[in-house]
Each structure stands twice: as C-alpha cells, then as structure tokens.
Amino acid sequence: MHDLIRWQKKSVQYAAAVFGTSIETIRYVLNEHPAPVLPQDQATARATGAIRRRARWELTREDFARLYPDEHQSLNQISAATCFSRKVLTALAHDYGIPLRDGPQDYQPRGTADRNWLIEQYVHGHRTLPDLAREKGMSTSNMARWAKTHSIPLRPRGSASHNQALRAADEAGRAPRILRPALTGRGADERLSRFAAASAQPSLSAAAAALGLNTFTLVAQINQIERELSGPLLVRAERGRPMTLTPLGKKVLKAIRKMQDNTMP
C-alpha cells in the first residue's frame, strides 16, 4: 500500500480498488500503520544534528576516553573504526570535555621502558604501572603499551597477585598458533568469543544487539583482533549484502571453536 501511494504516486481511491476495499479502510490502515520515515541524506542529517546524536549514542564518553587519551589512537583511526568524520569527533571531544592533542608530535608514545627492567620492577617487584610511569616520566597508558610490546601480561585491576595473569599467558601459549597474538591482553578470550558469535549474524549491528552490546564496543573489539592478527576477519555488510567471513576469518573462527572445545569440561 505504501509502495502504491508513496512511490507510485497513486491515489487512495486507486489503492482501494487494487485491494478490493473501501477508501475509509485504506485511510484507516494508513493511519494505524504510517509509512516508515525516509532515511535522511547527509545534508539533512547534519542540519538536524542526527549524526551528532548517533555519535553520542554509539561512542560514549567512556569509549572515547579509552580510545583517545588512554590507547592514544588518533582521530583518523577512530574515524576509520566508527565511520564518523573528524569534524564530528572533534565536536564530540568538546562535548565530553576531552582535550585534543596539539599536533602529530603528541601522537608518539613518549619515553621507553626496557623489558628486563619492567620484568624486575613490575613482575618480581610487584610495583604498579602508575608508580613505574611516574619514575619514567610517562603516562600510565604508555607504560602499559610497553608491557604489551614486551609481552608482559598485566595484572588484573584489584588483584594482589600476578600469578593469575602469568597462568593466562601460559594458556595462550597452548592455544592454536593463529590465535596467540590476540591472546596477550586482558579480555582476549571474551573478544574472541564475541567475534565467533558475531560471525553468524548478518551485520555487526545485528550482532551487537544479539549480544546486548553497544555497536561501537563490538566494532572496536573486532578491529583490535584484526590489528593483532594482521588482517581483516569480516567483509562488512553493505547495501543489503550480509556480512561474511574473509579467508583469514574462517581460519580464526575454526581455531576459536577448537580452543573452546578443548577447554570444555
């Protein structure tokens, strides 16, 4: 009915004749079931602030703070992951009260941390990352990046012992080789499990809804796995075409299933 009246520009009388009913019935149905709102073009969306509202919903302040100040990702990297323009992200940072870096020089990690020194101080000496960062004159997030660079597992927050993190590293060493680069950080098992679950869905938006997640959170986690495994895992859904696995994605999914089967009691 909407196709006849909206797109084919037919009259209510014509629709009544096609469906073999009265004009009043057609009007009643149209009133009870109005046509879906037409998608906005980019210009209209910008004018009404729709893009900014969607950005605030998909990219929360917590997500922005984790990606930009903590993980030191650039606006270009965040833009590539979220499909929001730098202009939108800049406005969002202003709304969230997150100061933007001055220039390219601020995007480079500052200071260095030797692997042997980190093992001695962090693993054996049980010193905290903030304490070590202050000693080296760098941020805590930068010190955490050095630990990851040196494959030193981080202690879970609130944990009094490093043994649990070390055991996790040992378990990663027994995982399928293809997965090992993605099993060094916190929450690695959860990220891989979410990727496996998402791969069965037609799109990342549908997958996020099925998993009860914010779409951006799921996209960011899958992007992280793709960076760690050095290749795309999914061909994103586009224009009615459902999301599919890449050849690498199929290998990774098979390895995740194998690892999950081996850990089941």
Side-chain angles (χ1 to χ4, degrees):
M1 191 181 301
H2 292 311
D3 180 65
L4 280 175
I5 295 174
R6 171 184 278 181
W7 302 115
Q8 299 185 35
K9 308 297 184 182
K10 301 298 184 181
S11 66
V12 173
Q13 291 87 342
Y14 181 87
V18 169
F19 289 102
T21 187
S22 66
I23 295 174
E24 289 73 18
T25 299
I26 295 294
R27 287 174 175 162
Y28 174 80
V29 173
L30 290 174
N31 184 60
E32 290 295 312
H33 303 280
V37 177
L38 290 172
Q40 295 178 325
D41 58 26
Q42 287 282 53
T44 305
R46 282 194 296 269
T48 60
I51 293 178
R52 284 274 292 276
R53 288 195 296 273
R54 184 164 63 86
R56 289 179 67 88
W57 186 82
E58 293 189 14
L59 183 59
T60 65
R61 189 188 189 286
E62 181 181 4
D63 289 330
F64 203 119
R66 175 175 54 80
L67 293 170
Y68 189 72
D70 294 346
E71 297 185 6
H72 226 68
Q73 291 193 33
S74 68
L75 289 183
N76 285 339
Q77 290 173 316
I78 299 173
S79 176
T82 62
C83 297
F84 294 120
S85 69
R86 280 178 56 92
K87 183 176 180 180
V88 170
L89 295 176
T90 299
L92 205 58
H94 177 75
D95 292 345
Y96 290 155
I98 297 175
L100 296 178
R101 293 185 281 267
D102 292 333
Q105 69 278 3
D106 287 341
Y107 285 80
Q108 302 301 322
R110 296 176 175 176
T112 60
D114 178 73
R115 186 177 192 277
N116 292 334
W117 178 81
L118 254 180
I119 290 175
E120 177 65 29
Q121 299 296 321
Y122 182 69
V123 179
H124 301 307
H126 296 284
R127 293 177 63 186
T128 65
L129 287 180
D131 185 26
L132 297 175
R134 282 192 295 270
E135 179 175 329
K136 289 291 186 179
M138 66 175 69
S139 67
T140 301
S141 58
N142 195 17
M143 184 61 70
R145 282 192 293 274
W146 278 111
K148 184 174 182 179
T149 298
H150 297 317
S151 299
I152 298 173
L154 299 180
R155 291 189 291 268
R157 292 182 180 179
S159 173
S161 171
H162 204 204
N163 293 336
Q164 186 178 17
L166 292 174
R167 283 197 300 271
D170 290 338
E171 291 172 0
R174 293 193 294 270
R177 184 177 299 276
I178 193 174
L179 299 180
R180 292 176 190 173
L183 284 169
T184 57
R186 286 182 303 210
D189 285 336
E190 182 179 54
R191 285 193 294 275
L192 290 173
S193 295
R194 285 176 174 175
F195 161 71
S199 67
Q201 299 292 333
S203 68
L204 287 177
S205 297
L211 293 168
L213 298 172
N214 180 288
T215 301
F216 176 76
T217 299
L218 180 62
V219 171
Q221 290 184 345
I222 290 179
N223 285 345
Q224 179 177 343
I225 298 172
E226 290 179 327
R227 288 194 301 271
E228 291 168 337
L229 299 184
S230 303
L233 303 179
L234 295 166
V235 178
R236 291 350 189 219
E238 186 179 29
R239 296 180 181 178
R241 173 178 52 78
M243 179 174 67
T244 58
L245 287 164
T246 65
L248 175 61
K250 292 177 182 179
K251 294 177 182 178
V252 169
L253 179 61
K254 183 177 179 181
I256 293 172
R257 298 301 189 206
K258 180 179 179 181
M259 183 176 68
Q260 290 173 336
D261 290 343
N262 290 338
T263 56
M264 290 180 62

